[in-house]
Structures are given as structure tokens and as C-alpha cells.
Amino acid sequence: MTTTYPARPIDPHTLKDLRTADDAGRAPAPFTDTEGGAPLRCCLGRSEPGDRIALVSYAPLRRWAADRGVDPGAYDEQGPVFIHAEECAGPVADAGLPFTHAHRTVRRYSAEGRILGGRLVEEPAGFEQALGEAFDDPAVALVHVRAVEYGCFLYEVRRD
């Protein structure tokens, strides 16, 4: 799916940090993925059997807000994300929006790090419209795409 709103993986500097200590202060515990299929936030793809991956705690809004000198307050969340245990090549250029095969929540945030609302997206074709609606609101600076089942952060889209 081609998109006007590119998905942003976790940036390489943050990944380097997370591979040392995650956002909960724990050292990662890399393991060999025997089954494959884990949604990787470093390259926005799925793991392959035999990949070395780690499940780490990540606080995406906290990191985004800190870069901008704002305080997300109670909206500061951290949760589990899979990443490659070692540096990877990152996402494939122009790969479109990943992880659109299931219901997702598109959560909107202001430039102050406050939640402005969200929307359930049930079909892959609905992502472009949901993101367009989000960024039609000039108060929206950032969108998180999250899994519905567990609430896990998948990726962000920014108003760049």
C-alpha cells in the first residue's frame, strides 16, 4: 500500500539505547525466534525463524516529548516491542504502511503530547483515510498506530 503518511520505525539512536537498557531500565534478553512472525519495530517487518530478537519496554511518547521539551503527563506510556537484537538494515524504502492486516487504533497527539482522540481502523484500505482525517486537524502533531488486542505501539506517523 502506497501512502502519503510514511510509517516511522524506532530511530537508530533509540534502538542503540534500547539494546543496552530499555525504557524500564532493564537489560534486554535477546533470544532466537524459532517461529518467526514477531512485528519488529526497528525495520517494520516480521521476524524470520532463526532471527535474534529482543522484547523490550519502549516509551514512544516520552521520547518524542523529551526531544521537543514538552511533558506528556499522564499520557506517558511504555510497553513491549520486538526489535532485532543487533543492528538491522531498517525498513524497506517505500514499503508502505506495515501491520495493516488486523484491527488497529490510530491515536492522535498534540504538539504538547496530549491525546486528542483515536480511531479504530478495521480494514487495510482504511489506514490512509484515518491518517488523512487525523492530519486534517491542525492540532495533531503525531499519530501512533497501535494493536487493538494488546495496545502495543507499532509505529508512529508525524506531521513533518
Side-chain angles (χ1 to χ4, degrees), residues 57-82:
S57 184
Y58 177 53
L61 189 61
R62 178 187 313 160
R63 287 180 175 268
W64 177 87
D67 286 347
R68 281 148 190 79
V70 298
D71 178 7
Y75 300 107
D76 177 17
E77 299 177 80
Q78 70 184 40
V81 295
F82 287 105

Side-chain angles (χ1 to χ4, degrees), residues 9-99:
I10 298 174
D11 72 78
H13 176 74
T14 299
L15 287 166
K16 185 177 178 182
D17 291 347
L18 294 172
R19 289 180 179 121
T20 301
D22 69 13
D23 286 344
R26 290 185 290 271
F31 62 96
T32 300
D33 185 355
T34 59
E35 296 179 17
L40 299 164
R41 283 33 166 243
C42 50
C43 56
L44 301 180
R46 296 223 175 245
S47 64
E48 298 289 332
D51 280 354
R52 294 283 295 160
I53 63 175
L55 183 62
V56 298
S57 184
Y58 177 53
L61 189 61
R62 178 187 313 160
R63 287 180 175 268
W64 177 87
D67 286 347
R68 281 148 190 79
V70 298
D71 178 7
Y75 300 107
D76 177 17
E77 299 177 80
Q78 70 184 40
V81 295
F82 287 105
I83 61 173
H84 276 114
E86 291 86 31
E87 188 175 339
C88 68
V92 175
D94 300 324
L97 294 172
F99 312 130

Side-chain angles (χ1 to χ4, degrees), residues 1-5 97 100 102-109 116-137 140 142-146 155 157 159:
M1 166 192 310
T2 304
T3 181
T4 307
Y5 308 98
L97 294 172
T100 59
H103 294 172
R104 302 292 183 220
T105 299
V106 173
R107 194 181 296 171
R108 306 167 185 182
Y109 294 92
L116 296 175
R119 177 172 175 221
L120 176 66
V121 180
E122 299 180 87
E123 299 294 329
F127 279 85
E128 192 74 16
Q129 180 179 351
L131 292 168
E133 289 171 2
F135 290 115
D136 281 348
D137 179 348
V140 173
L142 174 74
V143 169
H144 284 178
V145 175
R146 292 179 173 265
Y155 55 88
V157 179
R159 180 181 288 285

